[in-house]
Amino acid sequence: MDFLGWRFFPLLSVLASFLLFYMKTSSKPSNSECSFLPYDRFWITSNNIVTPHGVISGAVEVKGGNIVSVVKRENQQWKLKSANVVDYGDAVVMPGLVDVHAHLDEPGRAEWEGFSSGTKAAAAGGITTLIDMPLNSCPSTVSEETLKLKVRMLDSASGFWGGLVPDNAFNKSALEGLLKAGVLGLKSFMCPSGINDFPMTNASHIKEGLQVLAKFKRPLLVHAEIQLDSESDLEENDGVDDARSYSTYLKTRPPSWEEAAVRELLEVTKDTRTGGPSEGSHVHIVHLSDTRASLDMIKGAKSSGDSITVETCPHYLAFSSEQIQDGDTRFKCSPPIRDSANRERLWDALVDGHIDMLSSDHSPTEPELKLLDEGDFLRAWGGISSLQYVLPVTWSYGRKYGITLNQLASWWSEQPSKLAGQDLKGAIANGNHADIVVWEPDTEFDLDDNHTAYHKHPSISAYMGKRLSGKVLATFVRGNLVYKEGKHAPAACGVPILAK
């Protein structure tokens, strides 16, 4: 079954909006502090509105948090009935980004990144829908009880993936309880996750999980690496000095780890085909970095009818292993950033449609755990801190490949919305939620100490020190202007996105 086919099944009976900023529908002007705009009905105009049918010059009518019409500039009728107009001139008006892969670490590790700082960073970066991973919070979201713990402490909003781990994989009632409680799907690791209460799964666990997910028509997200011990042993060369070399870390997680995991996983995804025992479920491979055998196997599975998609991340598209300096542990992540030839093949696969979408894999921590002073790649905590920068990073590095605004909207809005079951998001179209980002593609800025960053620890981001193009001017969530010119709306008005 293809990706579009499996989404036709009803996934959510209740869709709630994301972020700290959510305003209930009203026919009256709003005085809510959730938005910089004091009214509930208005028009957004621009010469560059990204719609599913191309880029138009025109206007988007918003009422009660939804898009109620999209008209081209030559249609003058909208001017006759427009009282409140926000004109963005030549700036790009695009569907808000949907990030299906972020770690906000609350409860338990809010000192790494919490919902308050994380969702502010998302809004400043044009992200209007955010789905939180089941780890690195403490406890991990692996049961109905741990999900409720996370939901109870929120004063903002987010959607959630649950965890598929050995303790619940063979417990149908436990998995069903977690899914009924509202997670949008499940996530599993095929290698050690680094978090004690989130152990890795094998093909048997995944097979069982998919059969439960089939009933709910929700996806399984998989970290596809299998640890091959014969290839992870390092020679003892220079001790600590050797650990400061990125090439040393790169050898510990070779492409064969991804290849082995994908090969094993694809034996299970056959069950997702039409008529298979897990028909209705879907497998999504997160943060692919290997473009050798792994990508070819995924392409083959798609052509055979497996319900499967794959994402990569901006850091794999922006950086290459040859560029990473000794001791610069800001660049440590798993799978690792590979060489420049691999990066070129990733771009080719993305532009050609073999990679379906992008995500941030925003994975922050405290600066002390990155061991920036020691520069030890083998001991430092892995993860790229990136949530606020993914739109300008994708655009800045993608322009040389000729990427279009519609491709950007597909990778960051349309396809992730489908994966997460957010059927009223991901496109500027009649009836959809008014989730919109406004940005200037040609405006450059430097990520330095003078740049305002909203995520918890900007100093650990691998993007600091870069010059980027693509400044976010405004972010609307359900019609609320929640971010404007470097400032956030004063109030947090959110409810969780829960599937029912």
Side-chain angles (χ1 to χ4, degrees):
M1 180 180 296
D2 62 18
F3 179 43
L4 292 177
W6 80 281
R7 294 302 335 155
F8 285 128
F9 293 97
L11 180 61
L12 301 177
S13 61
V14 177
L15 285 175
S17 187
F18 152 74
L19 271 179
L20 359 159
F21 319 98
Y22 173 81
M23 181 175 63
K24 293 185 177 179
T25 300
S26 170
S27 60
K28 299 178 181 180
S30 173
N31 294 317
S32 171
E33 292 188 338
C34 306
S35 176
F36 286 112
L37 293 179
Y39 29 78
D40 184 54
R41 183 176 184 178
F42 58 95
W43 293 81
I44 297 171
T45 65
S46 168
N47 293 322
N48 293 288
I49 300 173
V50 183
T51 77
H53 307 293
V55 180
I56 67 168
S57 175
V60 179
E61 183 182 7
V62 176
K63 181 180 179 181
N66 293 328
I67 297 169
V68 295
S69 67
V70 182
V71 296
K72 292 184 177 181
R73 182 76 67 179
E74 54 265 29
N75 183 343
Q76 298 294 316
Q77 293 301 313
W78 70 271
K79 294 183 179 180
L80 302 177
K81 54 183 179 180
S82 59
N84 304 310
V85 178
V86 185
D87 186 5
Y88 285 108
D90 291 327
V92 171
V93 173
M94 196 175 83
L97 278 65
V98 177
D99 189 359
V100 295
H101 191 155
H103 300 265
L104 295 188
D105 306 333
E106 213 173 353
R109 293 191 175 96
E111 67 275 14
W112 291 19
E113 179 86 280
F115 287 104
S116 178
S117 59
T119 51
K120 283 183 179 178
I127 298 171
T128 55
T129 303
L130 186 70
I131 314 299
D132 183 47
M133 281 292 167
L135 71 168
N136 305 313
S137 56
C138 184
S140 296
T141 312
V142 295
S143 67
E144 182 178 358
E145 292 72 26
T146 53
L147 175 65
K148 289 179 178 178
L149 176 64
K150 180 168 284 194
V151 171
R152 279 200 304 268
M153 65 184 302
L154 290 180
D155 61 0
S156 58
S158 175
F160 310 96
W161 303 119
L164 177 70
V165 293
D167 284 348
N168 63 22
F170 294 102
N171 188 334
K172 183 178 179 181
S173 62
L175 275 186
E176 289 190 348
L178 179 57
L179 290 161
K180 288 177 180 177
V183 296
L184 304 181
L186 301 176
K187 165 73 180 295
S188 72
F189 271 71
M190 297 180 75
C191 63
S193 71
I195 298 296
N196 291 336
D197 67 346
F198 206 94
M200 68 180 188
T201 55
N202 58 33
S204 296
H205 301 127
I206 291 171
K207 189 179 184 73
E208 292 293 323
L210 286 176
Q211 291 182 10
V212 175
L213 285 163
K215 175 181 177 181
F216 292 82
K217 309 299 186 288
R218 299 181 202 166
L220 174 67
L221 286 69
V222 182
H223 181 127
E225 286 184 289
I226 288 181
Q227 186 171 351
L228 303 175
D229 292 334
S230 61
E231 296 190 8
S232 62
D233 295 332
L234 293 173
E235 296 181 5
E236 295 293 336
N237 292 326
D238 299 325
V240 174
D241 290 339
D242 188 59
R244 288 179 54 82
S245 171
Y246 185 75
S247 63
T248 298
Y249 172 64
L250 195 58
K251 292 175 185 175
T252 70
R253 299 185 92 104
S256 56
W257 281 31
E258 288 188 82
E259 294 170 16
V262 170
R263 184 174 292 106
E264 183 171 312
L265 183 62
L266 295 186
E267 288 299 314
V268 180
T269 61
K270 295 175 182 178
D271 291 350
T272 66
R273 298 175 185 174
T274 303
S278 298
E279 180 185 355
S281 64
H282 179 80
V283 172
H284 179 72
I285 296 175
V286 300
H287 52 45
L288 182 78
S289 80
D290 170 49
T291 57
R292 299 195 307 181
S294 300
L295 186 59
D296 286 339
M297 287 188 288
I298 294 167
K299 289 160 61 176
K302 288 182 177 182
S303 65
S304 297
D306 295 18
S307 185
I308 185 170
T309 48
V310 60
E311 71 185 43
T312 193
C313 305
H315 44 273
Y316 299 120
L317 299 168
F319 306 127
S320 65
S321 57
E322 299 96 329
Q323 300 172 319
I324 300 174
Q325 300 296 311
D326 287 355
D328 197 348
T329 54
R330 296 177 303 164
F331 290 87
K332 181 180 178 179
C333 59
S334 59
I337 296 165
R338 306 197 188 279
D339 61 28
S340 57
N342 186 81
R343 180 184 60 189
E344 295 300 309
R345 291 192 296 269
L346 279 175
W347 273 113
D348 289 342
L350 181 64
V351 170
D352 292 342
H354 301 304
I355 293 175
D356 301 276
M357 66 191 78
L358 297 173
S359 76
S360 72
D361 190 14
H362 177 62
S363 185
T365 189
E366 293 180 288
E368 294 78 10
L369 294 181
K370 293 297 280 187
L371 304 180
L372 296 174
D373 292 335
E374 298 176 39
D376 189 330
F377 278 104
L378 301 183
R379 294 175 49 244
W381 183 264
I384 302 293
S385 185
S386 62
L387 191 60
Q388 192 170 326
Y389 315 131
V390 292
L391 173 56
V393 166
T394 307
W395 179 249
S396 298
Y397 288 91
R399 293 177 88 168
K400 67 175 280 191
Y401 300 94
I403 69 171
T404 67
L405 294 174
N406 277 101
Q407 284 176 314
L408 202 62
S410 175
W411 301 333
W412 272 114
S413 303
E414 180 185 358
Q415 297 302 326
S417 294
K418 292 174 182 175
L419 179 72
Q422 301 299 295
D423 299 325
L424 296 179
K425 299 182 185 292
I428 294 179
N430 291 359
N432 275 11
H433 292 165
D435 294 350
I436 294 168
V437 57
V438 182
W439 59 290
E440 295 176 330
D442 296 324
T443 299
E444 296 185 341
F445 58 95
D446 294 308
L447 290 183
D448 54 24
D449 292 339
N450 296 319
H451 183 79
T452 302
Y454 294 97
H455 54 82
K456 193 84 168 183
H457 303 293
S459 65
I460 67 172
S461 176
Y463 295 110
M464 295 307 292
K466 304 299 180 183
R467 186 170 182 80
L468 301 175
S469 297
K471 180 182 179 181
V472 173
L473 300 179
T475 303
F476 294 81
V477 179
R478 289 304 306 269
N480 293 316
L481 180 54
V482 300
Y483 175 82
K484 181 181 73 168
E485 298 173 357
K487 297 181 180 179
H488 292 85
C493 309
V495 293
I497 301 172
L498 296 174
K500 292 185 179 180

PDB file of all heavy atoms in Angstrom, residues 191-207:
ATOM      1  N   CYS A 191      18.861  -0.003  17.867  1.00  0.00           N
ATOM      2  CA  CYS A 191      20.172  -0.004  18.512  1.00  0.00           C
ATOM      3  C   CYS A 191      19.989   0.659  19.874  1.00  0.00           C
ATOM      4  O   CYS A 191      18.927   1.236  20.143  1.00  0.00           O
ATOM      5  CB  CYS A 191      21.203   0.751  17.671  1.00  0.00           C
ATOM      6  SG  CYS A 191      20.814   2.507  17.454  1.00  0.00           S
ATOM      7  N   PRO A 192      20.960   0.597  20.766  1.00  0.00           N
ATOM      8  CA  PRO A 192      20.815   1.263  22.068  1.00  0.00           C
ATOM      9  C   PRO A 192      20.524   2.753  21.893  1.00  0.00           C
ATOM     10  O   PRO A 192      21.173   3.446  21.113  1.00  0.00           O
ATOM     11  CB  PRO A 192      22.171   1.028  22.735  1.00  0.00           C
ATOM     12  CG  PRO A 192      22.674  -0.243  22.115  1.00  0.00           C
ATOM     13  CD  PRO A 192      22.219  -0.188  20.682  1.00  0.00           C
ATOM     14  N   SER A 193      19.534   3.244  22.632  1.00  0.00           N
ATOM     15  CA  SER A 193      19.104   4.633  22.499  1.00  0.00           C
ATOM     16  C   SER A 193      19.923   5.588  23.344  1.00  0.00           C
ATOM     17  O   SER A 193      19.878   6.804  23.113  1.00  0.00           O
ATOM     18  CB  SER A 193      17.629   4.766  22.888  1.00  0.00           C
ATOM     19  OG  SER A 193      17.470   4.602  24.302  1.00  0.00           O
ATOM     20  N   GLY A 194      20.619   5.073  24.337  1.00  0.00           N
ATOM     21  CA  GLY A 194      21.335   5.926  25.273  1.00  0.00           C
ATOM     22  C   GLY A 194      20.505   6.328  26.467  1.00  0.00           C
ATOM     23  O   GLY A 194      21.009   6.981  27.391  1.00  0.00           O
ATOM     24  N   ILE A 195      19.233   5.938  26.480  1.00  0.00           N
ATOM     25  CA  ILE A 195      18.318   6.230  27.588  1.00  0.00           C
ATOM     26  C   ILE A 195      17.916   4.907  28.228  1.00  0.00           C
ATOM     27  O   ILE A 195      17.405   4.004  27.546  1.00  0.00           O
ATOM     28  CB  ILE A 195      17.076   6.991  27.087  1.00  0.00           C
ATOM     29  CG1 ILE A 195      17.489   8.334  26.481  1.00  0.00           C
ATOM     30  CG2 ILE A 195      16.083   7.192  28.218  1.00  0.00           C
ATOM     31  CD1 ILE A 195      18.118   9.308  27.439  1.00  0.00           C
ATOM     32  N   ASN A 196      18.120   4.791  29.525  1.00  0.00           N
ATOM     33  CA  ASN A 196      17.949   3.492  30.197  1.00  0.00           C
ATOM     34  C   ASN A 196      16.540   2.932  30.101  1.00  0.00           C
ATOM     35  O   ASN A 196      16.362   1.715  29.987  1.00  0.00           O
ATOM     36  CB  ASN A 196      18.359   3.618  31.674  1.00  0.00           C
ATOM     37  CG  ASN A 196      19.856   3.818  31.848  1.00  0.00           C
ATOM     38  OD1 ASN A 196      20.645   3.437  30.990  1.00  0.00           O
ATOM     39  ND2 ASN A 196      20.243   4.436  32.959  1.00  0.00           N
ATOM     40  N   ASP A 197      15.528   3.802  30.177  1.00  0.00           N
ATOM     41  CA  ASP A 197      14.159   3.266  30.157  1.00  0.00           C
ATOM     42  C   ASP A 197      13.574   3.245  28.745  1.00  0.00           C
ATOM     43  O   ASP A 197      12.355   3.179  28.571  1.00  0.00           O
ATOM     44  CB  ASP A 197      13.250   4.048  31.119  1.00  0.00           C
ATOM     45  CG  ASP A 197      12.997   5.485  30.690  1.00  0.00           C
ATOM     46  OD1 ASP A 197      13.728   5.967  29.804  1.00  0.00           O
ATOM     47  OD2 ASP A 197      12.081   6.125  31.243  1.00  0.00           O
ATOM     48  N   PHE A 198      14.455   3.292  27.733  1.00  0.00           N
ATOM     49  CA  PHE A 198      14.005   3.176  26.345  1.00  0.00           C
ATOM     50  C   PHE A 198      14.915   2.183  25.622  1.00  0.00           C
ATOM     51  O   PHE A 198      15.694   2.565  24.738  1.00  0.00           O
ATOM     52  CB  PHE A 198      14.031   4.536  25.638  1.00  0.00           C
ATOM     53  CG  PHE A 198      13.054   4.631  24.494  1.00  0.00           C
ATOM     54  CD1 PHE A 198      11.796   5.158  24.684  1.00  0.00           C
ATOM     55  CD2 PHE A 198      13.396   4.160  23.239  1.00  0.00           C
ATOM     56  CE1 PHE A 198      10.887   5.233  23.633  1.00  0.00           C
ATOM     57  CE2 PHE A 198      12.513   4.230  22.193  1.00  0.00           C
ATOM     58  CZ  PHE A 198      11.246   4.765  22.383  1.00  0.00           C
ATOM     59  N   PRO A 199      14.834   0.888  25.979  1.00  0.00           N
ATOM     60  CA  PRO A 199      15.711  -0.118  25.356  1.00  0.00           C
ATOM     61  C   PRO A 199      15.345  -0.389  23.909  1.00  0.00           C
ATOM     62  O   PRO A 199      14.242  -0.082  23.446  1.00  0.00           O
ATOM     63  CB  PRO A 199      15.497  -1.355  26.229  1.00  0.00           C
ATOM     64  CG  PRO A 199      14.153  -1.165  26.844  1.00  0.00           C
ATOM     65  CD  PRO A 199      13.976   0.314  27.022  1.00  0.00           C
ATOM     66  N   MET A 200      16.290  -0.997  23.208  1.00  0.00           N
ATOM     67  CA  MET A 200      16.112  -1.215  21.770  1.00  0.00           C
ATOM     68  C   MET A 200      15.188  -2.395  21.494  1.00  0.00           C
ATOM     69  O   MET A 200      14.984  -3.282  22.325  1.00  0.00           O
ATOM     70  CB  MET A 200      17.465  -1.442  21.110  1.00  0.00           C
ATOM     71  CG  MET A 200      18.161  -2.722  21.488  1.00  0.00           C
ATOM     72  SD  MET A 200      19.757  -2.858  20.627  1.00  0.00           S
ATOM     73  CE  MET A 200      20.236  -4.532  21.072  1.00  0.00           C
ATOM     74  N   THR A 201      14.652  -2.401  20.269  1.00  0.00           N
ATOM     75  CA  THR A 201      13.767  -3.460  19.808  1.00  0.00           C
ATOM     76  C   THR A 201      14.417  -4.227  18.669  1.00  0.00           C
ATOM     77  O   THR A 201      15.367  -3.763  18.038  1.00  0.00           O
ATOM     78  CB  THR A 201      12.445  -2.863  19.291  1.00  0.00           C
ATOM     79  OG1 THR A 201      12.733  -1.882  18.288  1.00  0.00           O
ATOM     80  CG2 THR A 201      11.659  -2.222  20.411  1.00  0.00           C
ATOM     81  N   ASN A 202      13.889  -5.423  18.416  1.00  0.00           N
ATOM     82  CA  ASN A 202      14.320  -6.192  17.249  1.00  0.00           C
ATOM     83  C   ASN A 202      13.131  -6.388  16.312  1.00  0.00           C
ATOM     84  O   ASN A 202      12.037  -5.863  16.547  1.00  0.00           O
ATOM     85  CB  ASN A 202      14.931  -7.533  17.679  1.00  0.00           C
ATOM     86  CG  ASN A 202      13.962  -8.377  18.495  1.00  0.00           C
ATOM     87  OD1 ASN A 202      12.752  -8.338  18.285  1.00  0.00           O
ATOM     88  ND2 ASN A 202      14.499  -9.157  19.432  1.00  0.00           N
ATOM     89  N   ALA A 203      13.322  -7.162  15.269  1.00  0.00           N
ATOM     90  CA  ALA A 203      12.280  -7.343  14.263  1.00  0.00           C
ATOM     91  C   ALA A 203      11.019  -7.976  14.843  1.00  0.00           C
ATOM     92  O   ALA A 203       9.904  -7.674  14.412  1.00  0.00           O
ATOM     93  CB  ALA A 203      12.817  -8.175  13.108  1.00  0.00           C
ATOM     94  N   SER A 204      11.186  -8.850  15.835  1.00  0.00           N
ATOM     95  CA  SER A 204      10.010  -9.489  16.450  1.00  0.00           C
ATOM     96  C   SER A 204       9.145  -8.474  17.185  1.00  0.00           C
ATOM     97  O   SER A 204       7.905  -8.511  17.090  1.00  0.00           O
ATOM     98  CB  SER A 204      10.467 -10.588  17.419  1.00  0.00           C
ATOM     99  OG  SER A 204      11.148 -11.618  16.732  1.00  0.00           O
ATOM    100  N   HIS A 205       9.784  -7.570  17.924  1.00  0.00           N
ATOM    101  CA  HIS A 205       9.034  -6.522  18.611  1.00  0.00           C
ATOM    102  C   HIS A 205       8.308  -5.637  17.602  1.00  0.00           C
ATOM    103  O   HIS A 205       7.139  -5.276  17.791  1.00  0.00           O
ATOM    104  CB  HIS A 205       9.982  -5.652  19.445  1.00  0.00           C
ATOM    105  CG  HIS A 205      10.750  -6.389  20.484  1.00  0.00           C
ATOM    106  ND1 HIS A 205      12.119  -6.322  20.578  1.00  0.00           N
ATOM    107  CD2 HIS A 205      10.353  -7.227  21.480  1.00  0.00           C
ATOM    108  CE1 HIS A 205      12.532  -7.063  21.593  1.00  0.00           C
ATOM    109  NE2 HIS A 205      11.475  -7.625  22.147  1.00  0.00           N
ATOM    110  N   ILE A 206       9.005  -5.275  16.546  1.00  0.00           N
ATOM    111  CA  ILE A 206       8.428  -4.392  15.529  1.00  0.00           C
ATOM    112  C   ILE A 206       7.241  -5.059  14.839  1.00  0.00           C
ATOM    113  O   ILE A 206       6.207  -4.439  14.592  1.00  0.00           O
ATOM    114  CB  ILE A 206       9.514  -3.972  14.524  1.00  0.00           C
ATOM    115  CG1 ILE A 206      10.522  -3.042  15.217  1.00  0.00           C
ATOM    116  CG2 ILE A 206       8.900  -3.296  13.299  1.00  0.00           C
ATOM    117  CD1 ILE A 206      11.742  -2.724  14.397  1.00  0.00           C
ATOM    118  N   LYS A 207       7.379  -6.339  14.542  1.00  0.00           N
ATOM    119  CA  LYS A 207       6.296  -7.080  13.894  1.00  0.00           C
ATOM    120  C   LYS A 207       5.035  -7.066  14.761  1.00  0.00           C
ATOM    121  O   LYS A 207       3.929  -6.842  14.265  1.00  0.00           O
ATOM    122  CB  LYS A 207       6.748  -8.523  13.645  1.00  0.00           C
ATOM    123  CG  LYS A 207       5.805  -9.357  12.791  1.00  0.00           C
ATOM    124  CD  LYS A 207       6.374 -10.743  12.596  1.00  0.00           C
ATOM    125  CE  LYS A 207       5.526 -11.590  11.662  1.00  0.00           C
ATOM    126  NZ  LYS A 207       5.680 -11.151  10.257  1.00  0.00           N
TER     127      LYS A 207
END
